[in-house]
mmCIF file of all heavy atoms in Angstrom:
data_model
loop_
_atom_site.group_PDB
_atom_site.id
_atom_site.type_symbol
_atom_site.label_atom_id
_atom_site.label_comp_id
_atom_site.label_asym_id
_atom_site.label_seq_id
_atom_site.Cartn_x
_atom_site.Cartn_y
_atom_site.Cartn_z
ATOM 1 N N ILE A 9 -8.411 -10.490 11.802
ATOM 2 C CA ILE A 9 -8.475 -11.064 10.469
ATOM 3 C C ILE A 9 -9.907 -10.911 9.990
ATOM 4 O O ILE A 9 -10.844 -11.260 10.704
ATOM 5 C CB ILE A 9 -8.033 -12.539 10.473
ATOM 6 C CG1 ILE A 9 -6.563 -12.618 10.892
ATOM 7 C CG2 ILE A 9 -8.257 -13.169 9.119
ATOM 8 C CD1 ILE A 9 -6.023 -14.014 10.972
ATOM 9 N N VAL A 10 -10.046 -10.353 8.792
ATOM 10 C CA VAL A 10 -11.370 -10.128 8.234
ATOM 11 C C VAL A 10 -11.459 -10.842 6.892
ATOM 12 O O VAL A 10 -10.441 -11.074 6.242
ATOM 13 C CB VAL A 10 -11.668 -8.625 8.059
ATOM 14 C CG1 VAL A 10 -11.665 -7.915 9.400
ATOM 15 C CG2 VAL A 10 -10.677 -7.978 7.119
ATOM 16 N N PRO A 11 -12.663 -11.182 6.464
ATOM 17 C CA PRO A 11 -12.793 -11.773 5.134
ATOM 18 C C PRO A 11 -12.214 -10.829 4.081
ATOM 19 O O PRO A 11 -12.356 -9.615 4.196
ATOM 20 C CB PRO A 11 -14.303 -11.934 4.952
ATOM 21 C CG PRO A 11 -14.858 -11.936 6.325
ATOM 22 C CD PRO A 11 -13.942 -11.060 7.141
ATOM 23 N N GLU A 12 -11.562 -11.385 3.072
ATOM 24 C CA GLU A 12 -10.896 -10.566 2.054
ATOM 25 C C GLU A 12 -11.842 -9.563 1.420
ATOM 26 O O GLU A 12 -11.458 -8.440 1.138
ATOM 27 C CB GLU A 12 -10.275 -11.460 0.990
ATOM 28 C CG GLU A 12 -9.416 -10.689 0.017
ATOM 29 C CD GLU A 12 -8.574 -11.587 -0.851
ATOM 30 O OE1 GLU A 12 -8.383 -12.759 -0.523
ATOM 31 O OE2 GLU A 12 -8.112 -11.091 -1.885
ATOM 32 N N GLU A 13 -13.104 -9.953 1.204
ATOM 33 C CA GLU A 13 -14.045 -9.026 0.576
ATOM 34 C C GLU A 13 -14.370 -7.826 1.460
ATOM 35 O O GLU A 13 -14.896 -6.828 0.996
ATOM 36 C CB GLU A 13 -15.333 -9.747 0.150
ATOM 37 C CG GLU A 13 -16.145 -10.325 1.273
ATOM 38 C CD GLU A 13 -15.721 -11.744 1.664
ATOM 39 O OE1 GLU A 13 -14.729 -12.270 1.140
ATOM 40 O OE2 GLU A 13 -16.405 -12.324 2.524
ATOM 41 N N MET A 14 -14.040 -7.898 2.749
ATOM 42 C CA MET A 14 -14.261 -6.767 3.647
ATOM 43 C C MET A 14 -12.987 -5.984 3.921
ATOM 44 O O MET A 14 -13.041 -4.932 4.533
ATOM 45 C CB MET A 14 -14.865 -7.250 4.956
ATOM 46 C CG MET A 14 -16.258 -7.815 4.796
ATOM 47 S SD MET A 14 -16.990 -8.271 6.368
ATOM 48 C CE MET A 14 -17.200 -6.659 7.101
ATOM 49 N N ALA A 15 -11.853 -6.494 3.496
ATOM 50 C CA ALA A 15 -10.587 -5.788 3.710
ATOM 51 C C ALA A 15 -10.593 -4.496 2.903
ATOM 52 O O ALA A 15 -11.198 -4.427 1.840
ATOM 53 C CB ALA A 15 -9.414 -6.666 3.277
ATOM 54 N N PRO A 16 -9.950 -3.454 3.402
ATOM 55 C CA PRO A 16 -9.967 -2.184 2.687
ATOM 56 C C PRO A 16 -9.277 -2.279 1.331
ATOM 57 O O PRO A 16 -8.267 -2.959 1.188
ATOM 58 C CB PRO A 16 -9.220 -1.221 3.609
ATOM 59 C CG PRO A 16 -8.515 -2.063 4.590
ATOM 60 C CD PRO A 16 -9.182 -3.398 4.626
ATOM 61 N N GLU A 17 -9.862 -1.626 0.345
ATOM 62 C CA GLU A 17 -9.222 -1.505 -0.958
ATOM 63 C C GLU A 17 -8.168 -0.415 -0.860
ATOM 64 O O GLU A 17 -8.325 0.542 -0.110
ATOM 65 C CB GLU A 17 -10.251 -1.110 -2.015
ATOM 66 C CG GLU A 17 -11.148 -2.228 -2.429
ATOM 67 C CD GLU A 17 -10.433 -3.286 -3.261
ATOM 68 O OE1 GLU A 17 -9.656 -2.935 -4.161
ATOM 69 O OE2 GLU A 17 -10.659 -4.465 -2.978
ATOM 70 N N TYR A 18 -7.131 -0.547 -1.630
ATOM 71 C CA TYR A 18 -6.099 0.480 -1.645
ATOM 72 C C TYR A 18 -5.658 0.709 -3.080
ATOM 73 O O TYR A 18 -5.848 -0.129 -3.950
ATOM 74 C CB TYR A 18 -4.901 0.091 -0.768
ATOM 75 C CG TYR A 18 -4.297 -1.230 -1.156
ATOM 76 C CD1 TYR A 18 -3.273 -1.286 -2.100
ATOM 77 C CD2 TYR A 18 -4.742 -2.416 -0.601
ATOM 78 C CE1 TYR A 18 -2.721 -2.495 -2.474
ATOM 79 C CE2 TYR A 18 -4.196 -3.632 -0.969
ATOM 80 C CZ TYR A 18 -3.186 -3.662 -1.907
ATOM 81 O OH TYR A 18 -2.641 -4.857 -2.281
ATOM 82 N N VAL A 19 -5.094 1.891 -3.303
ATOM 83 C CA VAL A 19 -4.574 2.256 -4.609
ATOM 84 C C VAL A 19 -3.132 2.690 -4.417
ATOM 85 O O VAL A 19 -2.837 3.511 -3.555
ATOM 86 C CB VAL A 19 -5.382 3.420 -5.231
ATOM 87 C CG1 VAL A 19 -4.769 3.855 -6.551
ATOM 88 C CG2 VAL A 19 -6.833 3.033 -5.398
ATOM 89 N N ILE A 20 -2.237 2.097 -5.198
ATOM 90 C CA ILE A 20 -0.826 2.484 -5.172
ATOM 91 C C ILE A 20 -0.442 2.945 -6.566
ATOM 92 O O ILE A 20 -0.750 2.280 -7.551
ATOM 93 C CB ILE A 20 0.063 1.314 -4.722
ATOM 94 C CG1 ILE A 20 -0.247 0.951 -3.270
ATOM 95 C CG2 ILE A 20 1.544 1.663 -4.887
ATOM 96 C CD1 ILE A 20 0.469 -0.271 -2.761
#
Side-chain angles (χ1 to χ4, degrees):
I9 296 178
V10 297
E12 188 168 342
E13 64 273 5
M14 294 184 68
E17 285 289 316
Y18 56 90
V19 176
I20 295 174

